[in-house]
Amino acid sequence: IYRVDNNSSEQTTKNLLKQNKLNHNRKMKMLLIILMQVFAVKAQDAGDFELGDYKGALIGDLVTRSNDVTGTLYALGPNLLYLENFNFDGANDFSFFYIGCRRASPEPSKEGLRLLHSKQDDLTPVETAVNQGLLIPFPFRKYVSLDHFAWFSLWDEQNEVSLADISIPEDFEEPRPYILSADAFTSEDARVNAVRIIMRTARNVTIQSFTFDGTGLDANFYAGTGDSLTATSGELVTVEEENDSTLGIYDRATLTLRLPEDLTLLDADWIIVTCPQCTTPFAQIELPDYRNLPADVQIF
């Protein structure tokens, strides 16, 4: 005769259910990590990003040491490099992109940090390339200025030699967002106001604490050049948060403006709030002659 302990049986069942739930959560977590890694690599694939004519700040051409390695290096913005027209014969199976901290190694060496690059993960060497464009992000959680580094290299880990490299000047200024002065936004109309204007990239502007009563007929943002501040002398600027074609009512809202494809903040002189019928704008933003903004990179 066997005595069944109901409490023990119930506890065993609960433990099994709990263990199954934990196993399920672990599997889902692992699947999520894998998907995130695949997405991260996919997002940086050379066919999955679009870069306009403006490429940020030029660092320079790689100095070829061997294996027919050539390319031109740009700083697109904080923590993001772009290698244009990259060529490599692929004969070396142990080559990776490295960047060297100025304090640790003033010249290319194994003391550098390995960088991820388009189409690859951190375990895959750089492959054969012909006039390829590669996005190269820094592997840091926090922003680290490029002037902390002395060099960039295609480094051969097996033979511990640089196949191609370039020095980064100590006074190099990487592209960064620019905050306009308080008087950059002006208006003679009490219905329109803003507190802060930030030039994020070559084609993106953030307006903080934007207020507008929306009574202007077909009012919108326009950007342009020259002295004529009218809708017809400028180009329509998209408000990314809006689906409507005209501005509505805003009370201390944060807006993200996106300039059209053929115009950047490096070219434009002004952004205005106006309507097609208006001869004078409700408000205007005078853009400075700042020419070191991050490039506009669209990653798909």
Side-chain angles (χ1 to χ4, degrees):
I1 298 174
Y2 296 95
R3 182 168 177 258
V4 178
D5 189 337
N6 291 332
N7 291 335
S8 177
S9 177
E10 182 179 351
Q11 184 62 41
T12 300
T13 302
K14 288 183 178 179
N15 289 339
L16 286 173
L17 291 173
K18 184 176 180 181
Q19 187 62 43
N20 288 337
K21 185 176 181 181
L22 288 173
N23 290 338
H24 175 74
N25 289 341
R26 289 194 188 101
K27 290 179 180 178
M28 292 303 295
K29 186 175 181 180
M30 287 299 298
L31 178 61
L32 179 61
I33 291 173
I34 292 172
L35 288 174
M36 289 175 67
Q37 291 174 340
V38 171
F39 176 78
V41 173
K42 179 66 178 174
Q44 295 173 25
D45 187 89
D48 290 328
F49 72 89
E50 180 180 313
L51 183 62
D53 294 334
Y54 175 67
K55 302 176 181 66
L58 173 66
I59 298 176
D61 294 330
L62 298 182
V63 177
T64 304
R65 307 297 182 186
S66 64
N67 295 76
D68 299 322
V69 181
T70 59
T72 303
L73 191 64
Y74 293 85
L76 295 182
N79 289 12
L80 185 59
L81 301 175
Y82 176 65
L83 186 57
E84 184 181 48
N85 294 330
F86 175 60
N87 292 280
F88 175 42
D89 64 12
N92 187 295
D93 294 329
F94 301 91
S95 301
F96 299 87
F97 290 121
Y98 270 50
I99 193 167
C101 182
R102 199 171 296 279
R103 293 183 178 180
S105 54
E107 296 181 355
S109 74
K110 64 180 180 180
E111 303 302 324
L113 302 173
R114 185 192 289 180
L115 299 176
L116 296 173
H117 57 98
S118 308
K119 287 191 172 182
Q120 312 295 336
D121 58 33
D122 59 343
L123 300 177
T124 307
V126 178
E127 298 176 346
T128 303
V130 178
N131 293 329
Q132 193 172 17
L134 299 177
L135 291 180
I136 305 176
F138 286 7
F140 308 121
R141 292 184 179 180
K142 295 184 178 180
Y143 166 69
V144 179
S145 177
L146 192 59
D147 59 15
H148 285 81
F149 301 95
W151 52 266
F152 172 89
S153 168
L154 180 60
W155 181 257
D156 176 358
E157 290 188 342
Q158 184 180 45
N159 298 305
E160 296 187 354
V161 295
S162 176
L163 305 182
D165 51 74
I166 185 172
S167 297
I168 302 172
E170 289 189 36
D171 58 351
F172 180 80
E173 295 184 6
E174 63 189 1
R176 300 178 184 179
Y178 185 84
I179 301 175
L180 275 64
S181 62
D183 57 354
F185 186 97
T186 58
S187 175
E188 296 181 359
D189 194 323
R191 297 174 297 172
V192 192
N193 194 16
V195 172
R196 201 179 195 200
I197 313 294
I198 305 172
M199 300 163 69
R200 297 283 185 189
T201 72
R203 288 181 55 214
N204 281 87
V205 177
T206 296
I207 301 181
Q208 295 179 342
S209 197
F210 178 70
T211 299
F212 181 47
D213 67 3
T215 58
L217 180 62
D218 297 331
N220 238 316
F221 286 97
Y222 293 85
T225 60
D227 298 327
S228 179
L229 305 181
T230 62
T232 55
S233 61
E235 296 190 47
L236 183 65
V237 175
T238 303
V239 181
E240 292 193 344
E241 295 84 1
E242 298 293 333
N243 295 321
D244 199 353
S245 58
T246 59
L247 298 181
I249 299 174
Y250 301 90
D251 182 17
R252 290 168 292 184
T254 297
L255 303 183
T256 301
L257 308 185
R258 184 167 184 79
L259 272 64
E261 296 290 340
D262 57 347
L263 186 65
T264 70
L265 293 170
L266 286 72
D267 307 315
D269 296 322
W270 45 262
I271 297 175
I272 58 175
V273 180
T274 191
C275 64
Q277 299 83 8
C278 298
T279 56
T280 58
F282 301 128
Q284 69 183 72
I285 300 171
E286 183 178 351
L287 298 174
D289 294 329
Y290 184 73
R291 294 295 180 265
N292 201 25
L293 288 169
D296 186 68
V297 185
Q298 297 295 300
I299 299 178
F300 306 103

